[in-house]
Amino acid sequence: MAAKTFDVVVIGAGPGGYVAAIRASQLGLKVAIVEREHMGGICLNWGCIPTKAMLRSSEVFHLMHRAKEFGLKAEGIGYDLDAVVKRSRGVAKQLNSGVGHLMKKNKVEVVMGAATMPAKGKVAVKTDKGMEELQAKSIILATGARARELPGLEADGERVWTYKHALQPPHMPKKLLVIGSGAIGIEFASFYNTLGAETTVVEVMDRILPVEDAEISAFAKKSFEKQGMKIMQKAVVKQLDRMKTKVTAHIEANGKVEKQDFDTVISAVGIVGNVEGLGLEALGVKIDRTHVVTDEYCRTGVEGLYAIGDIAGAPWLAHKASHEGVMVAELIAGKNKVHPVKPESIAGCTYCHPQVASVGYSEAKAKELGYDIRVGRFPFIGNGKAIALGDPEGMVKTVFDAKTGELLGAHMIGAEVTEMIQGYVVGRQLETTEEDLMETVFPHPTISEAMHEAVLDAYDRVIHI
């Protein structure tokens, strides 16, 4: 059977791959995309989107319990976990079919199956009907990543879960252990804790949300503890003894190992890249700790082969993958002025309660890089809209270069900060200074005014505290 020829073949149809395929097609290239499981990848089917749907349910549930504060009455408040999950799956399904529609609209040929690369420029796909061969001058690897499993802590789907089990839970946890306090761990801890699970989070580092600014991590810890969560930092789960109805966790902290019983454990200890079984080593692709090594333009060093998104390393974020996909498509199409994606210009968002969002350098990182800095802070308690919303717990922190006024980083925790962070992202992209931000008129009353005040505070001009 003769191989089908394309300009570009994309392997993986997640937020990196499908976006790369659309952009390449827009630029007049003939494109095929290979996907072994779901259009939209993990993000859309088992990650970003369904978790946000579930977290929205828990947020509404939390607000219903607070009805009295708002002068409202809500009685007999409860939830139906199956219905919460069903809504979440429906949201994912709607978007999954949307990606299929976008592929048709952009004339991208979809091949469902598992891909390997037998030789440079060649892709063999094992489909339901047998093998299909594709060839292209340019191939984009966008195979993503999966949950890291530590020896002895592997998921079984019954008592020990990964994110996938947590999205379709076989039971409602009563006593829950979450191992790992990155975005995934904290989001699930927040969801199940709000629904009434007695939740413990164990983090090996010295603070939860370890990629965030230390001050934000400390604020989050206080907030979660107030909601009844138990947080253990500098702690390690050494082993899990599994029984039919419970799991005994051996947790080492402060040099002592203590045993605790839980009915459910969620393991969220990072991810590993999907690099196996593709034939990468034979092609001469460099792999470092399960991630493909690339240059800033996502080139692998093998001619015509690019790697984008989670497989190409941190930050492991859907929006980073999408932008890399666009960049690579434009590079392949020969466009002038193609800009590499800078990791420090990518915002990170965690949709726990309260929300957390940040971009750029933390205060510690800016100091470590040798900057002379000015730092501003503004608490939500000084913001009229936050008080009116009944969400006065939060803060905005800004970090500036004292010499040039460049906004080096911004860090937030509180209501709707995942939507607000984009203001600072745009500001950094436009190379804004403290002066530009101070002279910008923020609408009143909005929570975003706290962003303005945090800038003013860095220069001793804050108004409302």
Side-chain angles (χ1 to χ4, degrees):
M1 193 182 88
K4 283 190 185 173
T5 304
F6 297 88
D7 296 315
V8 181
V9 172
V10 182
I11 302 175
Y18 88 75
V19 170
I22 290 172
R23 186 69 188 121
S25 179
Q26 285 174 348
L27 292 164
L29 300 171
K30 188 182 176 196
V31 187
I33 194 162
V34 182
E35 172 54 50
R36 67 180 180 187
E37 215 172 354
H38 310 283
M39 297 306 287
I42 292 296
C43 169
L44 208 146
N45 294 279
W46 295 104
C48 340
I49 300 298
T51 51
K52 299 314 139 317
M54 284 173 80
L55 283 155
R56 176 64 170 161
S57 292
S58 69
E59 185 186 356
V60 174
F61 183 65
H62 168 74
L63 281 170
M64 286 163 78
H65 279 284
R66 293 178 57 198
K68 205 173 163 192
E69 286 176 44
F70 296 93
L72 306 172
K73 278 186 187 148
E75 282 152 25
I77 299 160
Y79 63 84
D80 173 346
L81 188 58
D82 290 344
V84 169
V85 170
K86 192 177 168 199
R87 175 179 181 271
S88 158
R89 300 315 309 149
V91 169
K93 189 167 183 276
Q94 184 182 339
L95 290 167
N96 166 286
S97 55
V99 174
H101 168 72
L102 286 170
M103 295 298 98
K104 272 199 195 84
K105 183 187 161 197
N106 287 282
K107 299 178 180 58
V108 172
E109 184 160 331
V110 176
V111 184
M112 294 303 289
T116 54
M117 285 181 291
K120 202 170 87 171
K122 294 202 175 356
V123 177
V125 187
K126 190 180 176 191
T127 70
D128 290 347
K129 300 186 184 103
M131 292 304 283
E132 217 174 295
E133 288 188 8
L134 316 173
Q135 61 183 37
K137 213 164 102 181
S138 302
I139 294 170
I140 302 173
L141 279 176
T143 53
R146 61 185 184 277
R148 182 187 296 282
E149 300 226 56
L150 297 178
L153 311 184
E154 296 91 351
D156 53 40
E158 286 300 313
R159 295 285 155 204
V160 184
W161 302 347
T162 63
Y163 62 87
K164 254 190 181 174
H165 307 118
L167 281 168
Q168 286 192 309
H171 58 263
M172 172 64 196
K174 287 187 180 68
K175 200 163 180 235
L176 171 68
L177 170 63
V178 177
I179 309 172
S181 76
I184 295 171
I186 283 296
E187 286 184 358
F188 281 122
S190 195
F191 172 76
Y192 284 110
N193 188 68
T194 302
L195 293 191
E198 192 186 316
T199 305
T200 299
V201 177
V202 170
E203 172 54 56
V204 67
M205 306 291 275
D206 61 355
R207 57 195 175 85
I208 59 163
L209 294 167
V211 302
E212 298 298 338
D213 185 88
E215 223 171 313
I216 300 295
S217 292
F219 194 110
K221 178 174 183 272
K222 228 182 195 161
S223 211
F224 297 148
E225 284 175 339
K226 211 162 130 187
Q227 294 167 39
M229 254 186 238
K230 187 180 173 197
I231 308 273
M232 298 177 75
Q233 297 171 153
K234 285 195 196 166
V236 180
V237 178
K238 300 302 263 187
Q239 75 180 71
L240 297 173
D241 303 333
R242 302 156 198 246
M243 281 143 269
K244 186 115 187 80
T245 56
K246 66 171 185 175
V247 176
T248 302
H250 299 238
I251 305 169
E252 187 184 320
N254 307 316
K256 292 195 296 285
V257 176
E258 58 172 295
K259 291 185 192 178
Q260 287 189 45
D261 289 346
F262 299 91
D263 64 56
T264 313
V265 178
I266 296 175
S267 175
V269 288
I271 60 170
V272 290
N274 294 323
V275 290
E276 309 86 350
L278 290 161
L280 298 181
E281 289 87 346
L283 290 173
V285 173
K286 280 197 196 72
I287 294 167
D288 177 29
R289 286 167 297 180
T290 80
H291 291 89
V292 172
V293 178
T294 66
D295 68 5
E296 60 177 348
Y297 290 99
C298 296
R299 295 180 289 217
T300 62
V302 174
E303 195 194 348
L305 183 62
Y306 303 82
I308 64 172
D310 286 357
I311 194 183
W316 297 288
L317 299 166
H319 42 291
K320 172 242 192 195
S322 298
H323 273 262
E324 286 178 340
V326 168
M327 175 191 75
V328 167
E330 293 183 348
L331 207 58
I332 291 167
K335 264 183 87 82
N336 298 331
K337 275 197 174 164
V338 173
H339 298 287
V341 178
K342 293 191 176 77
E344 67 276 9
S345 67
I346 298 164
C349 296
T350 307
Y351 298 78
C352 43
H353 181 78
Q355 294 180 4
V356 176
S358 59
V359 67
Y361 302 131
S362 65
E363 182 178 352
K365 184 71 181 169
K367 282 179 180 161
E368 188 194 309
L369 291 169
Y371 285 101
D372 183 10
I373 58 171
R374 292 193 76 125
V375 178
R377 296 169 187 81
F378 193 80
F380 276 24
I381 196 71
N383 177 275
K385 177 75 182 289
I387 295 168
L389 281 178
D391 258 323
E393 253 191 57
M395 71 174 285
V396 179
K397 177 175 178 177
T398 52
V399 182
F400 288 91
D401 180 344
K403 290 192 179 74
T404 64
E406 180 193 352
L407 176 63
L408 297 173
H411 311 274
M412 312 178 180
I413 182 164
E416 302 309 330
V417 296
T418 55
E419 294 291 341
M420 295 200 308
I421 192 66
Q422 190 58 12
Y424 285 136
V425 176
V426 171
R428 278 172 54 81
Q429 186 68 20
L430 298 176
E431 298 181 353
T432 185
T433 63
E434 92 288 358
E435 212 168 87
D436 300 322
L437 288 166
M438 285 193 216
E439 287 169 11
T440 300
V441 181
F442 283 70
H444 175 78
T446 61
I447 313 177
S448 70
E449 288 174 280
M451 296 166 65
H452 190 220
E453 295 267 20
V455 175
L456 293 172
D457 185 55
Y459 290 84
D460 306 319
R461 287 179 46 181
V462 68
I463 304 289
H464 288 100
I465 45 167

